[in-house]
Amino acid sequence: MLNEDAIIIGRLNCDEFAMGSSNENSIYGPVLNPHDLTKVPGGSSGGSAAAVAEGLCLASLGSDTGGSIRQPASFCGVVGLKPSYGRVSRHGLIAYGSSFDQIGPLTNNIEDAAIIMEVIAGQDDYDSTSSNEPVPEYSNSLKSLPKSLHIAVPSEYLNSNAIDNEIKDDFINKIAQLKELGHKVKEVSFPYVDSLIPTYYVLTTAEASSNLARYDGAHYGYRSKNSKDIETTYFKTRSEGFGLEVKRRIMLGTFVLSAGYYDAYYTKALRVRRLIKDKTDELFKAHDLILLPTAPTTAFGLDEIKDPIKMYLQDIFTVHANIAGNPAISIPLGNHTNNMPFGIQLMTNKFEEEKLLACASYMMNELN
Amino acid sequence: MKLDESTVERIAQLSKLEFNTEEKVAILNDMNQMLDFIETLQEVDTDNVEPLIHMTEDVNVLRADDAKTTISQEEALTNAPSKDSTYFKIPKVLGKN
C-alpha cells in the first residue's frame, strides 16, 4: 500500500493477539462503538471498524481468524472482507492461528475494498502460504454479475437459537427481495453447524499455543524484571505479559496437543475440518454464494458478556469461512430498532473474491 | 472428561505459565467448561476421514536456493528487551551446580 502512495495515519486498537470478539481484551482499554459509546465495537479488529465508521480514516486493515474483521464490521456498520486463505500475505502480521489468519480491508463501500484488495492480494516471498493465483482487477469487475445468482442458505444457520429475532426477520426479508429480483435462493443443509466453534477452538488454541511460544522474553517484547535464569525468564515474562484470555487459550491449546489427548482432540478436529471443507466445496458446485447473517446480535454492552463460551458463540456465523478457507464479506444492510447497525454475510468459493465483491456491490445497491 | 488440578499444573508447566491459587481455580473451571464445549466433536462420525492438515492446494512451491539478507542484524535486534553489541542479552543460563 505504501508503494501505491497510501498515507498511513495510525495504528488501531484490537484484542490482545487478536483473541476476542469485543475489543475488551486490550491493555489499552476497550474501543467504544461510535454508534453508541456504551457498546462494544466487536472484535478483535474493533479499532479498525470503529475508525472507519467514525470517519477517522478512509479505510483500515484488520485480521480475521474466526470473524475478527466481519463481526466488528457488522457491529459498526461498515464493509469488512476476509479474503480466501492464501490470498493476502501475512508478512508483518503477528500469528495467532496460522491455518486460519487472513488480512483484509474494512471500508465504507465495496469499491474501496476492491481497490485495496488489488493492492494487497498476491504472492509474497515472505509468506509461503500466499498463493500465486493471479490477482484480478477487482474494482473493474464490480458490475460483471450473472443474470441469475444461485444462492444457498443453510437452514441450520437460519434456525439457530442464537440469532436475534429482528436480524432473522431481516435476513428472511432479504431472501425474499433476492427472489423477486430473479435470483434462485435455495435452503440447503449444512449439518456441521454445531461443530464449527468447537473445531475452531481446538485448532486455533493449538496453533496459538505453538505460535505464542516465541514470546520467551529473549528476542522481542516484554521481559520480566524478575528474570533470574532461563526458567524464570520464561515463566515470569509470559505470566506477567499475557492477559487472561490469551493464557486461557494457550492452556487449552497445550492441553489438546499434549500426549494422550492429541488424537482425541486435535486430530479429531482436523478430521471434522475436512468434513466441513468438503461439504462447503460441495455446496459451491451448485451455488454461486452462501448467504448468512454476520453476527447473531447487534453490538452488546461493555462488560455485558463475561462467560468465555458465550463470547465465543459471537463467531457462530463467521468461523465457517475460516475453517474452510473461503472468502466472505459482511455488508452493512441492517438497521435494528435498537438503533444499531448489523451486517449480512456473503461467502463464495475459494479465490472468487471477484464474484464476491461484485455480488456484494449488487446487494448494496439493490437490497434495502 | 474433567480435568483436575494436577493436570492444570502439568499443562501450565508445559505452557511456561504460572498461576496463583486463585487463578488456578478459575483456569481449571474455564478449561473444564471449554472441554465440555468441544466434547460435542466426539459425536461427529469421522471414520475413514483423513485429517485436513494443509489449507492451500499448492504443491511444491519452490524458489531458487540463493543466499540473501532478508533482515539485518541491527533490525533483528531492534525489539530485543536487552542486547549487547550484536547479541541478544539474556539472564545467566548456567548455574554453579
Side-chain angles (χ1 to χ4, degrees), chain A residues 142-213:
Chain A
L142 291 179
K143 301 251 178 290
S144 47
L145 201 68
K147 273 235 158 55
S148 171
L149 290 167
H150 290 262
I151 302 169
V153 175
S155 46
E156 291 85 354
Y157 279 125
L158 200 52
N159 299 325
S160 155
N161 292 329
I163 187 168
D164 173 273
N165 279 334
E166 212 173 300
I167 294 181
K168 181 176 174 172
D169 290 346
D170 181 81
F171 187 78
I172 293 167
N173 174 274
K174 297 280 189 293
I175 293 172
Q177 290 183 48
L178 285 163
K179 283 182 178 163
E180 216 158 283
L181 288 162
H183 304 292
K184 294 191 174 60
V185 185
K186 195 174 159 198
E187 242 185 76
V188 296
S189 174
F190 187 78
Y192 304 112
V193 169
D194 290 338
S195 301
L196 289 168
I197 296 202
T199 301
Y200 172 80
Y201 273 93
V202 172
L203 297 178
T204 55
T205 56
E207 293 182 19
S209 74
S210 169
N211 274 324
L212 270 51

Side-chain angles (χ1 to χ4, degrees), chain A residues 16-17 212 215 238-244 246-247 250, chain B residues 17:
Chain A
E16 182 182 338
F17 290 106
L212 270 51
Y215 293 91
R238 292 167 62 80
S239 303
E240 292 167 19
F242 291 138
L244 176 63
V246 176
K247 288 179 190 167
I250 292 175
Chain B
L17 290 173

Side-chain angles (χ1 to χ4, degrees), chain A residues 195 199 217 219-221 223 233 236 238-239 248 251 254-255 264-265 268 270-271 273-274 307 309 323, chain B residues 1 3 11 15-16 18 30 33-34 39 41-42 44 46 49-52 55 79-81 88-89 91:
Chain A
S195 301
T199 301
H219 302 101
Y220 35 68
R223 178 189 296 171
T233 303
K236 299 291 178 195
R238 292 167 62 80
S239 303
R248 223 182 244 142
M251 288 288 286
T254 305
F255 175 75
Y265 292 102
K268 179 77 187 184
L270 289 175
R271 291 184 207 276
R273 188 177 201 181
R274 182 178 296 278
D307 174 17
I309 293 187
I323 293 172
Chain B
M1 69 168 292
L3 298 183
I11 299 298
S15 306
K16 304 280 183 219
E18 53 190 16
D30 287 346
Q33 266 192 48
M34 278 149 76
E39 202 62 38
L41 285 184
Q42 306 307 330
V44 182
T46 54
V49 179
E50 285 298 309
L52 177 61
M55 289 311 289
N79 296 318
F88 291 103
K89 194 173 168 187

Side-chain angles (χ1 to χ4, degrees), chain A residues 85 99 125-126 129-132 192 194-195 197-199 201-202 217-223 227-231 233-236 238-239 242 247-248 250-252 254-256 258-259 261 264-265 267-275 277 307-309 312-313 322-325 350, chain B residues 1 3 7-19 23 26-27 30-58 61 63 68-71 76-83 88-94:
Chain A
Y85 186 77
S99 75
D125 288 346
Y126 290 93
T129 64
S130 66
S131 168
N132 52 20
Y192 304 112
D194 290 338
S195 301
I197 296 202
T199 301
Y201 273 93
V202 172
H219 302 101
Y220 35 68
Y222 179 75
R223 178 189 296 171
S227 303
K228 305 261 180 285
D229 53 19
I230 193 158
E231 286 290 292
T233 303
Y234 293 157
F235 277 95
K236 299 291 178 195
R238 292 167 62 80
S239 303
F242 291 138
K247 288 179 190 167
R248 223 182 244 142
I250 292 175
M251 288 288 286
L252 186 69
T254 305
F255 175 75
V256 300
S258 65
Y261 302 105
Y265 292 102
T267 310
K268 179 77 187 184
L270 289 175
R271 291 184 207 276
V272 178
R273 188 177 201 181
R274 182 178 296 278
L275 289 173
K277 180 191 164 285
D307 174 17
I309 293 187
Y312 299 166
L313 289 169
N322 304 77
I323 293 172
K350 289 186 193 65
Chain B
M1 69 168 292
L3 298 183
T7 314
V8 168
E9 278 164 11
R10 189 172 62 85
I11 299 298
Q13 192 68 27
L14 290 170
S15 306
K16 304 280 183 219
L17 290 173
E18 53 190 16
F19 299 98
E23 289 169 337
I27 201 96
D30 287 346
M31 285 181 78
N32 274 324
Q33 266 192 48
M34 278 149 76
L35 277 182
D36 279 346
F37 182 62
I38 61 179
E39 202 62 38
T40 54
L41 285 184
Q42 306 307 330
E43 291 159 24
V44 182
D45 179 4
T46 54
D47 288 352
N48 305 316
V49 179
E50 285 298 309
L52 177 61
I53 295 169
H54 298 293
M55 289 311 289
T56 65
E57 275 150 41
D58 299 344
V61 181
R63 59 165 174 79
K68 41 183 174 183
T69 306
T70 52
I71 182 168
L77 287 165
T78 314
N79 296 318
S82 179
K83 59 193 161 187
F88 291 103
K89 194 173 168 187
I90 55 166
K92 203 169 173 181
V93 173
L94 299 174

